[in-house]
């Protein structure tokens, strides 16, 4: 690695974003998560809200037309906005990793950059993540449980669709951390020592 690039995949509610941001601040380097949506929006001249709706989500299979002679012309098929965003973010991630030290959260960055990054996976038990979401958002427990399941399902589908790899296959990460067992500060220290 010529640049210090850390990619973080995370289960929803495991504090992956919080840890990534703290790590970037500690190292004095740039942090990219939702910032990548804004950058893609400017590059493709697509409204931020349009990209934000499809960020880290696989396109619905029901939106594709069926390949059959009575269907509309192939020229009229559209490219899902999910694919447009992924392709744009992929290019941005490659360019960022080549030009600067940074922390990149999500968006298949570990797979895009392969061996050019310190790849981290942050996870935690389901109940811990639900409690984190309740604390962060003030939701009722039933709503928080539903949200954690939904977000994990979306992230898994997105990752596996674009990478053909299992999201939770720990063999593809350099370091896997259960965030329920350590403080955020301890996790930042661990990642720094690995870097």
């Amino acid at each position: 690695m010529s640049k210090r690039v850390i990619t973080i995949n995370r289960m929803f509610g495991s504090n992956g974003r919080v840890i990534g941001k703290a790590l970037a601040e500690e190292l004095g380097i740039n942090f990219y998560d939702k910032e990548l949506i804004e950058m893609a929006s400017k590059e493709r001249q697509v409204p931020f809200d349009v990209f934000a709706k499809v960020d880290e989500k696989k396109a619905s299979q029901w939106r594709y037309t069926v390949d059959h002679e009575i269907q509309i012309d192939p020229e009229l098929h559209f490219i899902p906005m999910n694919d447009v965003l992924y392709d744009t973010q992929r290019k941005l991630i490659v360019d960022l990793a080549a030009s600067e030290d940074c922390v990149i959260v999500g968006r298949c960055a570990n797979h895009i950059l392969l061996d050019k990054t310190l790849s981290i996976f942050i996870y935690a038990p389901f109940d811990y993540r639900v409690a984190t979401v309740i604390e962060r958002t003030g939701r009722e427990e039933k709503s928080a449980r539903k949200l954690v399941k939904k977000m994990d399902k979306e992230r898994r589908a997105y990752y596996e669709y674009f990478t053909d790899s299992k999201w939770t296959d720990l063999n593809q990460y350099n370091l896997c951390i259960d965030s329920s067992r350590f403080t955020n500060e301890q996790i930042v220290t661990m990642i720094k020592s690995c870097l």
Side-chain angles (χ1 to χ4, degrees):
M1 269 187 310
S2 58
K3 297 290 180 186
R4 292 183 306 169
V5 179
I6 302 106
T7 58
I8 298 177
N9 267 347
R10 72 282 182 232
M11 289 182 161
F12 188 73
S14 65
N15 287 323
R17 175 183 165 76
V18 173
I19 292 164
K21 194 164 183 74
L23 176 65
E25 287 173 7
E26 180 82 17
L27 294 171
I29 61 177
N30 288 324
F31 172 79
Y32 297 100
D33 182 10
K34 295 185 186 309
E35 295 77 4
L36 287 167
I37 306 171
E38 193 172 316
M39 293 166 72
S41 173
K42 288 177 185 171
E43 182 161 319
R44 294 303 289 258
Q45 297 181 348
V46 172
F48 176 86
D49 292 346
V50 172
F51 273 161
K53 284 180 189 172
V54 298
D55 184 47
E56 290 196 284
K57 292 182 180 85
K58 174 183 131 181
S60 169
Q61 63 186 358
W62 303 111
R63 291 190 180 201
Y64 293 105
T65 55
V66 178
D67 287 328
H68 192 276
E69 61 218 17
I70 61 171
Q71 294 293 321
I72 62 172
D73 244 347
E75 296 168 7
L76 300 177
H77 290 205
F78 69 97
I79 298 172
M81 199 53 68
N82 311 63
D83 290 3
V84 172
L85 178 59
Y86 175 81
D87 289 340
T88 306
Q89 286 182 334
R90 184 185 171 288
K91 181 185 176 302
L92 289 167
I93 287 167
V94 168
D95 291 347
L96 289 168
S99 64
E100 65 180 70
D101 296 342
C102 58
V103 174
I104 302 171
V105 174
R107 290 154 193 88
C108 306
N110 69 305
H111 193 269
I112 292 166
L113 299 174
L114 289 177
D115 296 328
K116 299 175 186 157
T117 177
L118 175 62
S119 177
I120 313 292
F121 186 73
I122 298 178
Y123 64 98
F126 181 75
D127 288 337
Y128 174 86
R129 294 184 293 124
V130 168
T132 300
V133 170
I134 291 169
E135 183 182 317
R136 191 185 305 159
T137 65
R139 287 176 178 258
E140 296 292 322
E141 183 177 350
K142 185 177 179 181
S143 172
R145 292 177 97 66
K146 189 175 177 182
L147 180 62
V148 170
K149 285 179 184 176
K150 175 183 176 248
M151 294 301 294
D152 278 352
K153 185 177 179 181
E154 286 177 358
R155 286 180 181 171
R156 175 179 284 108
Y158 168 83
Y159 187 87
E160 293 178 2
Y161 175 76
F162 284 109
T163 68
D164 284 332
S165 298
K166 292 287 183 198
W167 181 53
T168 56
D169 176 7
L170 304 183
N171 292 319
Q172 63 187 326
Y173 303 103
N174 302 121
L175 181 63
C176 301
I177 302 171
D178 179 348
S179 61
S180 70
R181 297 181 159 269
F182 308 97
T183 66
N184 291 351
E185 294 76 20
Q186 289 171 324
I187 295 171
V188 167
T189 301
M190 280 188 259
I191 297 171
K192 277 176 59 182
S193 65
C194 289
L195 187 63

